[in-house]
Amino acid sequence: MLTGIRTDTGLVPAAERTALLAGGYAAEADRTRALHPEVVEAIAADGFARHLVASRWGGAEGSFEDLTRAVIRVGEGCAATAWCASLAAYSARIAAHLPAEGQRQLWGAGPDTAVAAGLIPSGKAVPAEGGWRLSGSWGYVSGVDFADWVLLCAAAGSGEGPPELRFLAVPRGGFTVRRTWDNTGMRATGSHTVTVEDVLVPEALTFARPELLSGRNAGSSLPAHNVPFQALSGLTFLAPAVGAAAGALAACAATLTGRRRTETGETRLVHASGLVHAARHLVEENARTADQGLFSPQIVARSERNAACAAQLLQEALDLLVRAGGTSGLTVGAPLERFWRDVTSATSHVALQYGTSAARSYAAVLIGPPE
């Protein structure tokens, strides 16, 4: 564990309370496609947004391992809540790349500022006096309904020469939200579309995207703020899915009673439990590796491999569980059916596929780079 990373932030025990609260509202959240206000308040009160924020702003400077454990526990109650809790922490980590003045604007009044991030490059920023004028639309911005700020990636330049990709922070009031999220799973994550129309973003509220990718943070020396983006390898999205898969295990086990308890059902349940356990092991290994500051190309490639492998294990586990649960388990709105949709949706994320960089990166470790 790197010096300066705290493991006593209280996030893990707080997550127990959040999991129970979110689990109680999970069916309603799935039906209404929005988290209950009490759940949104719990995410902030229990410390997810502040977990990776610097102590000079009142943040916890916590570990990736504790964050992963806490998100997994919340996911056992409600996958969408875990997703939003995870994004609250990791989006704040991205915002920590802002210059000191930009960080002051976000966290000067307290560390629980809710930040939502649009990671997919979209929109344009053109130079202006004191900063950049930003316009465009960004899809899949999870948690934007209760975000105080959005952090958006855009092509920045004057039109002369190739643009650079930059992140720009915009406060609520500077953006509008189009309610476009209508997915089969993770319905309550509020992953809607953000639109910005010719808003002036001061230079202090921007930073170059390569800083995030490389892990070289000019705005913070904290270990958690100087991690190459790929080294975290899908932790943001995998931890909620692991929690949801654990919830699905419990939901399936609850259906295997009386005449439904068959040898075939038990075998599928046990097989699925092993797959979920293996996926959790891979995810927690990635978190520990990030905490230890191990970022060689070989280790980063292994983390990418771990993420893609864990996603596939979870998909296979849920397939076994829905077959073990039978027709009753797939009743619309039943816990097992909801977890199945949530895990399917979460593990479909582009960051968790072998076909992105995971296969190429680890293939180079196993057999050397291509000629």
Side-chain angles (χ1 to χ4, degrees):
M1 184 81 65
L2 289 175
T3 302
I5 296 178
R6 291 181 54 200
T7 59
D8 59 349
T9 64
L11 184 66
V12 174
E16 185 70 31
R17 299 190 297 270
T18 305
L20 296 174
L21 177 67
Y25 283 116
E28 175 186 324
D30 185 66
R31 185 176 65 255
T32 62
R33 298 182 179 270
L35 298 184
H36 192 278
E38 289 184 28
V39 173
V40 174
E41 292 173 6
I43 291 173
D46 290 343
F48 284 96
R50 78 175 76 106
H51 186 73
L52 297 176
V53 173
S55 61
R56 64 172 168 159
W57 306 119
E61 295 186 7
S63 71
F64 293 110
E65 186 170 9
D66 279 357
L67 176 59
T68 298
R69 291 170 57 199
V71 171
I72 288 174
R73 179 64 188 97
V74 173
E76 294 178 38
C78 174
T81 301
W83 185 275
C84 290
S86 184
L87 265 294
Y90 282 103
S91 295
R93 190 195 84 88
I94 297 174
H97 286 75
L98 290 168
E101 172 57 22
Q103 293 185 37
R104 186 195 65 77
Q105 291 191 44
L106 262 68
W107 297 303
D112 295 321
T113 300
V115 181
L119 299 179
I120 301 173
S122 183
K124 295 182 179 179
V126 297
E129 184 176 354
W132 303 83
R133 300 208 72 90
L134 178 66
S135 297
S137 293
W138 290 259
Y140 309 112
V141 184
S142 298
V144 69
D145 281 342
F146 46 87
D148 301 307
W149 290 76
V150 292
L151 192 61
L152 307 170
C153 187
S158 61
E160 299 179 2
E164 65 169 346
L165 293 179
R166 297 189 69 83
F167 279 98
L168 302 95
V170 180
R172 181 164 289 281
F175 61 89
T176 58
V177 177
R178 289 190 290 117
R179 305 187 66 80
T180 54
W181 180 247
D182 191 24
N183 202 280
T184 298
M186 291 290 187
R187 290 177 172 176
T189 60
S191 303
H192 300 303
T193 297
V194 167
T195 298
V196 176
E197 296 182 4
D198 195 29
V199 169
L200 177 63
V201 181
E203 186 67 34
L205 289 172
T206 79
F207 67 90
R209 182 174 180 258
E211 292 184 23
L212 174 66
L213 301 182
S214 68
R216 293 188 294 272
N217 190 331
S220 172
S221 61
L222 291 179
H225 298 165
N226 287 268
V227 179
F229 188 69
Q230 293 302 110
L232 296 175
S233 293
L235 282 174
T236 310
F237 315 112
L238 270 174
V242 171
L249 273 172
C252 180
T255 68
L256 300 183
T257 59
R259 290 182 298 176
R260 295 182 184 276
R261 182 167 180 169
T262 64
E263 182 178 352
T264 298
E266 288 183 354
T267 299
R268 287 171 174 165
L269 180 69
V270 172
H271 185 181
S273 72
L275 296 175
V276 174
H277 185 90
R280 178 166 186 156
H281 176 81
L282 292 171
V283 171
E284 290 180 341
E285 179 182 307
N286 282 5
R288 286 192 297 270
T289 298
D291 282 332
Q292 292 164 3
L294 303 176
F295 306 131
S296 70
Q298 294 79 10
I299 291 177
V300 171
R302 186 187 68 189
S303 293
E304 291 183 275
R305 185 280 315 268
N306 285 357
C309 183
Q312 183 172 341
L313 290 171
L314 295 176
Q315 292 167 357
E316 293 173 1
L318 267 292
D319 179 64
L320 286 165
L321 291 174
V322 296
R323 286 192 286 142
T327 304
S328 62
L330 286 176
T331 300
V332 175
L336 178 56
E337 185 265 352
R338 184 179 69 249
F339 282 125
W340 172 56
R341 287 188 283 104
D342 288 340
V343 171
T344 300
S345 182
T347 56
S348 297
H349 196 283
V350 66
L352 305 179
Q353 310 306 310
Y354 277 113
T356 52
S357 62
R360 295 191 301 275
S361 297
Y362 203 66
V365 174
L366 295 174
I367 59 178
E371 296 181 359

